[in-house]
Amino acid sequence: MGPLHEVTVTFPRRKDWFAVLIGIALAGVPMAAFNLWIDWFIDRQGREEAGELAQRSLALAGKRAGVVLNTLADLARRGIDSCDPAHVEAMRQVNFLTTPIKEVSVVDPDGNTLCTDLGIPLGFRQQVSTHPFTAEGDVVIEVLRLGDRREPMIRLRRAGVGNAPAALIPADLLLPLAAMPTERSSATALAITTRDGSALAEGGAPRPSAQDAGDRLVATVQSPRYNLAATVSLPRAQVLAAHGDLRAVGVVTSGVVALGIIALALILPARRRGDPVDEIERAFRAGEFVPYFQPMIDITSGRLRGAEVLIRRRKPDGTVALPGTFIPLLESSGLIIDVTRALMRRVRDEVGAAYARRPKLKIGFNLAAAHFADEAIVRDVREAFEDSPIRLDQVVLEVTERQPLESLTETRRVIAALQDLGVSIAIDDVGSGHSGLSYILKLGVDMIKIDKMFIDAIGTDRNSATIIETLVELARNLHMEVIAEGVESFEQVVFLRDRGVRAAQGYVFAPPLPGSSFLQLIEAIDPAPDAGRAAVDRTSTAAA
Ligand code: C2E
Ligand code: CA
Ligand code: CA
């Protein structure tokens, strides 16, 4: 009625927030996955880069060694293997013509330099290591230290043939740092070694220590022709920096994915409201379930006896849905308990004042089978109506015979507890169910409502008359009241009154009415006795 009922505010339910939290948590997963992927990608990139660099370095080192090997082969072919002045002269020419070579010499099988193209050996020389160089084993590669020179020298020498020519080259020549991108060469480490890892030449950054090896990406390539291998290592940080753009793309992408998932988490609960149970729960929270009131008439006096509350769903678009369209869902979802509780409170608030002034008026509520599973309904009824303008003895609760009750014992206990509160219990739809009269008798109720089916048959079916007469007789003996429902014609009213039925409801009197119409009807056919008296009381107090 008031604005309170018309403004519908739906806050996200706890379930929705839960979904949002899960969404945010899930959004972290692709973010983490993307970062892992980036790490993996950068590692792979770095290793590939290092591998390429090693490959290129090895190729260049091999090429330079190859030039020297050709020269040595040429000298050997020409029989140059002694310190004979003609041989020395030939060696001098070769040295002059072959750029990488610093010195050409004749060396004995033990590695001692007999003479050089310059005539005498270049001072003290220490042989650090010797390794076979070619697959055929006709050339060895040696690391030498020459007197005062810091940098080691590399000597390639024909082997296994007595005295033989040898060529000295700076170790650096095997380190084609030109092969490396210059801006990175400072941090890139390159080592040329034999295939089993003995050092021949090192360049770039100092060889990484074992402890920071984890932060570097390393690749080693071995030469198939010579006893050479190249190892390149790059700092991870350097590769990362080079792919900074990728990182940025990653952050942006995972951010977008995260936002997308959060949006989905917000939207999905909303879409899930397409689910009928969620939808009806939302309708309940939005206050769409409202009471309608069907007047019940005392057909012996024509007075208003009260009303039965019949639930309606008033949708935001203004349409009103009948209980047949939603009661089954409310019952199967268990929501019927909450909805009934809310309905009782709403009825109390809407018509309580009118009922307070007419203590004989009854108000009936329909209960479902679920209400008799435990005693929650007893508490709900007490909390709704004790200390309320509607007294507990004005309340009638209708138990339908249509639905089978779970347990007769439990139902009887709940009914007894309700009757202890002062409320009356009616059996609804009597004659329509399968329970039979004996069953109804066992429940110990206060009223029976004869099903519309028998009322419809009045005047056409003789059995119907018999059944109604039997029920009235039975009710009289058990001190139960009889109410006829679905009465549509005046003939039916007369028939029922003649058979001793005292109360009836049906379209002949009024359909179920919205609260405001029902209140108007009450005032019209039963002007509040107390209202007048209260006015008089007020005047008298004012006069006094
Ligand atoms: P019911 O308790 O037997 O209610 C009587 C039904 O007959 C109501 O239908 C009422 O509108 C209709 N009716 C009343 N007089 C006449 C008449 O003269 N002619 C005809 N043809 N129909 C008449 P409604 O309101 O559609 O309710 C249908 C059923 O839904 C009710 O049957 C009751 O079982 C259930 N229901 C209604 N409100 C509630 C509720 O709050 N809780 C529960 N658990 N069930 C409810
Ligand atoms: Ca009913
Ligand atoms: Ca009924």
Side-chain angles (χ1 to χ4, degrees):
M1 309 278 108
L4 252 182
H5 298 313
E6 272 136 41
V7 182
T8 304
V9 186
T10 23
F11 291 101
R13 289 170 294 166
R14 202 168 353 150
K15 227 156 91 188
D16 296 357
W17 284 117
F18 190 60
V20 170
L21 283 181
I22 288 188
I24 291 171
L26 279 180
V29 171
M31 202 123 73
F34 196 89
N35 281 330
L36 271 179
W37 178 79
I38 292 237
D39 283 357
W40 171 84
F41 176 80
I42 284 177
D43 271 23
R44 205 195 57 173
Q45 255 335 78
R47 255 182 271 276
E48 250 170 38
E49 236 172 83
E52 271 169 33
L53 219 52
Q55 190 73 57
R56 252 184 300 160
S57 306
L58 188 67
L60 275 167
K63 208 162 163 188
R64 287 180 183 171
V67 172
V68 179
L69 287 183
N70 283 342
T71 307
L72 290 180
D74 188 43
L75 287 171
R77 223 180 1 259
R78 286 157 61 190
I80 292 165
D81 56 5
S82 77
C83 296
D84 181 283
H87 284 186
V88 172
E89 179 53 31
M91 296 192 305
R92 196 173 298 136
Q93 271 180 23
V94 164
N95 186 0
F96 183 73
L97 291 172
T98 319
T99 330
I101 297 176
K102 293 292 165 246
E103 176 203 270
V104 182
S105 54
V106 175
V107 179
D108 74 10
D110 294 330
N112 301 310
T113 308
L114 303 177
C115 58
T116 74
D117 61 332
L118 308 169
I120 43 147
L122 291 169
F124 166 78
R125 48 192 64 189
Q126 183 204 356
Q127 215 165 307
V128 179
S129 62
T130 304
H131 316 273
F133 189 64
T134 53
E136 301 78 34
D138 56 344
V139 176
V140 294
I141 186 163
E142 295 167 309
V143 180
L144 300 187
R145 287 200 176 276
L146 299 195
D148 44 354
R149 289 176 70 131
R150 273 196 42 130
E151 308 79 40
M153 298 289 277
I154 295 292
R155 186 169 68 182
L156 286 165
R157 139 171 98 83
R158 309 259 322 155
V161 287
N163 295 345
L168 209 60
I169 56 170
D172 286 0
L173 266 176
L174 293 180
L175 294 174
L177 284 176
M180 301 188 205
T182 46
E183 78 275 11
R184 295 205 211 155
S185 48
S186 59
T188 305
L190 169 62
I192 299 291
T193 61
T194 61
R195 272 187 243 151
D196 55 15
S198 301
L200 297 174
E202 277 176 17
R207 250 218 258 203
S209 69
Q211 125 204 25
D212 71 8
D215 300 332
R216 300 181 73 93
L217 301 164
V218 184
T220 299
V221 184
Q222 296 192 336
S223 160
R225 287 178 67 190
Y226 308 125
N227 187 9
L228 280 183
T231 298
V232 168
S233 87
L234 307 171
R236 258 192 118 249
Q238 176 185 306
V239 184
L240 273 176
H243 291 96
D245 47 348
L246 188 64
R247 277 254 132 164
V249 168
V251 168
V252 170
T253 311
S254 34
V256 168
V257 170
L259 282 179
I261 289 185
I262 289 171
L264 271 183
L266 285 166
I267 288 165
L268 276 185
R271 296 205 68 199
R272 234 195 12 228
R273 281 178 203 132
D275 170 27
V277 175
D278 277 322
E279 150 72 12
I280 206 154
E281 200 180 336
R282 190 206 52 74
F284 168 50
R285 286 173 205 283
E288 289 182 20
F289 292 114
V290 298
Y292 269 47
F293 301 83
Q294 183 170 41
M296 190 184 298
I297 304 299
D298 181 329
I299 54 176
T300 61
S301 66
R303 293 181 69 110
L304 183 67
R305 250 188 64 110
E308 174 181 4
V309 172
L310 292 161
I311 194 169
R312 298 289 181 267
R313 178 176 169 195
R314 197 185 283 145
K315 296 187 182 172
D317 65 7
T319 59
V320 172
L322 290 174
T325 64
F326 54 81
I327 288 280
L329 190 57
L330 289 178
E331 285 179 347
S332 63
S333 66
L335 263 176
I336 189 70
I337 306 288
D338 290 351
V339 169
T340 304
R341 185 190 306 119
L343 195 70
M344 291 191 296
R345 294 172 179 208
R346 196 153 175 172
V347 164
R348 176 195 63 200
D349 297 343
E350 281 187 26
V351 302
Y355 267 66
R357 285 188 234 109
R358 299 170 183 85
K360 285 202 174 118
L361 281 191
K362 302 281 182 197
I363 188 82
F365 294 92
N366 290 284
L367 297 185
H371 281 114
F372 295 95
D374 57 39
E375 300 206 356
I377 181 64
V378 182
R379 197 190 54 228
D380 286 351
V381 171
R382 183 164 25 81
E383 283 174 5
F385 295 110
E386 80 178 352
D387 305 325
S388 103
I390 299 180
R391 296 197 325 247
L392 281 159
D393 64 12
Q394 292 179 284
V395 174
V396 178
L397 300 174
E398 301 186 3
V399 188
T400 181
E401 204 211 294
R402 272 181 223 281
Q403 282 178 328
L405 294 162
E406 275 288 315
S407 136
L408 184 60
T409 338
E410 182 63 20
T411 303
R412 279 174 74 171
R413 204 179 37 239
V414 173
I415 285 178
L418 288 167
Q419 287 169 325
D420 279 351
L421 286 181
V423 309
S424 310
I425 306 291
I427 293 276
D428 203 356
D429 311 314
V430 165
S432 71
H434 312 282
S435 0
L437 281 178
S438 62
Y439 176 88
I440 296 165
L441 298 180
K442 282 184 188 142
L443 289 176
V445 301
D446 307 291
M447 307 171 189
I448 57 174
K449 294 185 82 172
I450 304 176
D451 193 70
K452 181 175 185 300
M453 180 170 75
F454 301 109
I455 311 301
D456 286 344
I458 290 174
T460 58
D461 184 346
R462 298 209 53 196
N463 289 334
S464 163
T466 314
I467 290 167
I468 294 173
E469 283 160 9
T470 311
L471 286 174
V472 171
E473 183 57 28
L474 181 81
R476 202 192 328 268
N477 292 338
L478 295 169
H479 307 289
M480 297 191 296
E481 277 189 80
V482 180
I483 299 156
E485 62 178 7
V487 182
E488 294 182 347
S489 73
F490 192 65
E491 288 73 48
Q492 291 168 344
V493 177
V494 172
F495 178 94
L496 291 164
R497 193 169 48 199
D498 290 350
R499 300 294 183 295
V501 175
R502 296 194 55 183
Q505 63 186 100
Y507 293 170
V508 70
F509 305 115
L513 303 168
S516 54
S517 309
F518 178 54
L519 285 172
Q520 281 176 0
L521 183 92
I522 295 181
E523 287 302 333
I525 63 179
D526 185 10
D530 288 354
R533 210 182 302 140
V536 174
D537 285 353
R538 253 198 312 279
T539 351
S540 51
T541 345

